[in-house]
Structure formats: C-alpha cells, structure tokens
Amino acid sequence: MSTTDGQETDAARLHEALTDKLAGDGVLDEPGWRKAVSTVPRHRFVPGFYLPADGRDGQGLTVWEPVTAELDHDRWLAAAYSDTTLITQFDGDEPNWKQPAVQHGGAPTSSSTLPSLVVRMWADADVQEGHTVLEIGTGTGYSTALACERLGSAAVTSIEVDPHRLEQAANALYDSGYTPTLAVADGLYGYWPEARFDRIVAACSFRAVPPALPAQARPGGKILLTLSGWLYGYARVLLSVNSDGTAEGRLLGRTVSFMAARTHTAPAFGNPAHWAAGLPETGRAARHAPERITAATEEAFHLRFLAQCAVPDAQMVTVGEVVHLVDTVTGSAATLTPDGSAWVVREGGPIRLWERIENVLTEYDAAGRPGPERFTLHVHGDGQHLRHPQMRELSLPKP
C-alpha cells in the first residue's frame, strides 16, 4: 500500500468515526444530513488551521500553533475529523500556509465551524429538498458542501466578504465536485441576483436583522440568524417572512456564538481609565451584581443579550476588580467596584448604562426568569422589537 493510499484509508476511517459520533449524539436524525456528512470529506476544506498550545506566552496571550498536513499529517487529519471549530484566520490576515507562523493572541476572523453546529444550523432552518438557500459566510466551504450534497449545487448560493477565503473555498468545492453559486459580497446586503430564497442561513452574527434579508426571502420563507452585540451577548432567531416583507419568530434555545459580521464589530474605545476619570466621585449601591451577566452560565449568556438590547452601544471590560461600561456613541460610561459583598456604581453621560441593565434584570426576575424561547422578535418598517408578555419591549439597534 502506498503512503497516499494509507493516508486516504486513515481519512476514511476518521470520517466514518465522526459520522458515527454525530449520529450517536442525535445530530444526524434526518437521513439526508447523515448522508451529506458521511459523503463530504472535511479534510479537503481545511488545508491549514490553528490549534491552541497547552500554555500561554510571557504576555499571557494564547499561543496558536499552525497545523497542516506537511507539518504533522496525523495531527492535521485527526483535528479535521473532530467535532471542533478550527480557526483559519486572525485579524483578517490570510496566513501563508506554505510557511505558516505561530500566532500569539489575535482575534479570529474566519474558521471552519464544528460539524455538529453546521448540521444543527441547516436542520434548525428547516431546510428541505426543493428549497433554494442563501448561505452568508462561506468560510472554508465545508458547510456549503453539505448543503450542496443535500439539495444539489444549483439550489445553493453562498457569499463571503473575504475574497481570499472565498477563493480557497471555491477551489475546495469545485475539486470535490460541487458547483454552487459563489460571490464576494457583504452579508448585510444579501445577494439580490439569486433572490428570492426559501431559506437564508448566516454563519456570522449581526447586531440586528439586515433589512435586505426579509426582502430577499420568499413569503413563507425562513431566516436563521445569530444576533450579537458589543457586550458579546448572543441569541439565535428563526424568522418567518410574511407577504408584506415583515418577519417574526421566536428565539431559539442552546448557546451558540459566531464571529460578528466585520462591519458590525465593536469600535475601539481607548483607555477605560480615561472614561472613568470623568465620572462622579461618589456612587450608589448596585441593585444587581455584574456577575448576573458575566458568569459562565447559560442564564448569564442569555441575560447579556437582553442587557445589550437595553444599552446597544455599550462595551464592557474588567480591569483588575473594576468593571467598566463604555458607550462610544453617546459618551456615557459607568464603573462597578466591589465593596465587600456589594458593588458600587458610578455613572455619567446622557445614559445611565448600568441602571438600564438593572431595570432589565429586575423585570426578568419578576417575569420568572424566562428562557430565550419565551421571547419573540418582530421585524417591520418601524424597527426590530424583542417582546415578552411580562416585560417591557426591547429594541435592537438600527442595522
């Protein structure tokens, strides 16, 4: 047996094991998606990616090690067929995979999403044979290939804002026999040349629903989006589009986060100490502790999304023990400083940032701490509103 034959045998074995794992986890209950996962070779779509090293560097930054078939074939292939997100790009800079370098820190800007989530997104969008779909965020092309295998290439349109990413994805797709419509385009504006679509699914997150998307969906069509914001709260919503172009739908359960659409990323705000210097010297006792929205729990993850609906332009950072809130749009700021078992709040500017968040938390508690599925999002010409029968209406920022 040649080396190449042995490598293909290893790939087939690992591919089958991943398929069996996802099936055992209940991800592939629909036969069509099981066939797609068992057919599409993920390793062809991830020629290079980064994995975190065991320790951090001297500055406390994550050390990301490049992984390719040439550097370590076994490690590359095992990771390609793991149910793991594989980072393929940092800070918008395309790596030189012929001579990749170790990466220290940085913000991931492209990845191959873990296969279980890819399948869940397509399934949650209720994608069925005969549907035409628009995928926002081609990335490596693996998710696109699954949709092509399930629906046929003619039914799939996929757009990507990064031309280098799209070129690599296109090569992998075409080499694997898939020929969807591909375009370099900003997901904020969808893709009119192929509209209208039965389903629109985004593999990035938006601060609010881009108005072009309901307009590009057929009446009765569905849009699956991840919504995020500058407090890094996330929610998923499945919208049904009405004949008048409005849309509505419930938030979905399960914690999911995607990289933000590049035009929706948070602006830099400088040194938080400069913002804190302009606040009143005395403060008040906080009604709610910041852990309500910062803890590593499902509830805090959900609450962070509700909080950012109340203060959509706020950002949060912790320096030492002090939590800073900064709003670059209105010039408002707040700090929360621990005082024994309590917290002291200082606020300044036209918006009392923490007070607004406290009001949401108080209403949330009074409503019985409802989960995401109890909230509905309504998208219409007057705005985008999140509603719960026992809480005041929250608005998403203007897209």
Side-chain angles (χ1 to χ4, degrees):
M1 181 184 293
S2 68
T3 300
T4 301
D5 289 341
Q7 291 173 350
E8 287 301 314
T9 299
D10 289 342
R13 174 177 54 80
L14 292 169
H15 189 174
E16 183 178 4
L18 174 63
T19 304
D20 290 343
K21 178 187 183 304
L22 296 182
D25 292 342
V27 177
L28 302 179
D29 290 341
E30 189 175 340
W33 289 117
R34 175 159 189 159
K35 179 178 181 297
V37 170
S38 66
T39 302
V40 176
R42 192 187 187 204
H43 71 283
R44 295 185 184 177
F45 294 88
V46 286
F49 47 84
Y50 291 93
L51 293 177
D54 291 336
R56 296 178 178 266
D57 66 12
Q59 296 180 309
L61 299 175
T62 300
V63 178
W64 295 92
E65 298 174 341
V67 180
T68 66
E70 290 74 20
L71 290 172
D72 188 335
H73 185 273
D74 290 345
R75 188 186 188 196
W76 166 74
L77 199 58
Y81 285 106
S82 64
D83 191 26
T84 305
T85 293
L86 304 173
I87 306 300
T88 55
Q89 187 190 80
F90 290 90
D91 303 312
D93 296 326
E94 189 64 24
N96 176 7
W97 289 114
K98 293 182 179 179
Q99 294 181 312
V102 173
Q103 171 80 24
H104 292 258
T109 48
S110 189
S111 67
S112 177
T113 303
L114 67 162
S116 60
L117 177 54
V118 170
V119 175
R120 188 199 308 171
M121 292 289 287
W122 287 125
D124 284 348
D126 191 26
V127 172
Q128 302 290 337
E129 276 133 1
H131 285 164
T132 57
V133 302
L134 171 64
E135 177 189 41
I136 299 173
T138 312
T140 65
Y142 174 69
S143 174
T144 318
L146 292 178
C148 290
E149 185 65 37
R150 181 76 169 82
L151 303 173
S153 295
V156 180
T157 298
S158 185
I159 60 175
E160 169 63 50
V161 72
D162 187 320
H164 297 292
R165 286 280 89 210
L166 189 67
E167 182 180 9
Q168 290 199 16
N171 290 335
L173 285 161
Y174 297 153
D175 288 347
S176 300
Y178 302 113
T179 56
T181 298
L182 301 174
V184 176
D186 189 329
L188 285 174
Y189 307 103
Y191 198 64
W192 279 106
E194 296 295 321
R196 301 179 177 233
F197 303 97
D198 295 298
R199 298 291 185 268
I200 299 175
V201 177
C204 59
S205 63
F206 298 98
R207 297 183 72 204
V209 180
L213 301 189
Q216 291 179 23
R218 300 184 195 281
K222 296 182 180 180
I223 303 171
L224 181 65
L225 293 179
T226 300
L227 300 171
S228 66
W230 296 347
L231 289 182
Y232 297 101
Y234 293 85
R236 288 194 310 150
V237 63
L238 181 62
L239 297 168
S240 295
V241 179
N242 302 314
S243 58
D244 60 359
T246 62
E248 58 187 44
R250 289 191 178 276
L251 301 189
L252 303 181
R254 299 178 181 174
T255 297
V256 171
S257 61
F258 277 106
M259 298 171 189
R262 297 191 185 184
T263 47
H264 277 195
T265 55
F269 58 80
N271 187 339
H274 296 167
W275 292 79
L279 297 178
E281 292 185 5
T282 58
R284 62 171 177 84
R287 287 185 283 140
H288 295 277
E291 290 94 343
R292 291 293 304 275
I293 63 171
T294 61
T297 64
E298 289 275 349
E299 183 180 54
F301 194 87
H302 170 46
L303 282 176
R304 196 151 60 247
F305 177 75
L306 299 182
Q308 77 189 12
C309 290
V311 288
D313 299 318
Q315 298 178 64
M316 182 170 55
V317 63
T318 300
V319 180
E321 293 185 306
V322 180
V323 178
H324 296 258
L325 288 165
V326 172
D327 183 335
T328 60
V329 176
T330 67
S332 304
T335 63
L336 291 101
T337 305
D339 182 16
S341 60
W343 290 81
V344 174
V345 183
R346 295 188 300 142
E347 298 178 285
I351 295 176
R352 296 295 183 261
L353 298 175
W354 190 248
E355 182 177 324
R356 284 198 178 184
I357 292 175
E358 286 178 318
N359 290 340
V360 170
L361 297 177
T362 297
E363 289 187 17
Y364 169 81
D365 290 342
R369 299 189 172 189
E373 302 90 341
R374 300 287 304 281
F375 291 82
T376 56
L377 180 65
H378 300 257
V379 179
H380 45 81
D382 296 331
Q384 302 182 19
H385 304 290
L386 191 66
R387 293 172 181 164
H388 181 276
Q390 294 172 271
M391 295 178 63
R392 278 180 289 185
E393 183 176 272
L394 295 169
S395 297
L396 272 61
K398 291 184 178 180

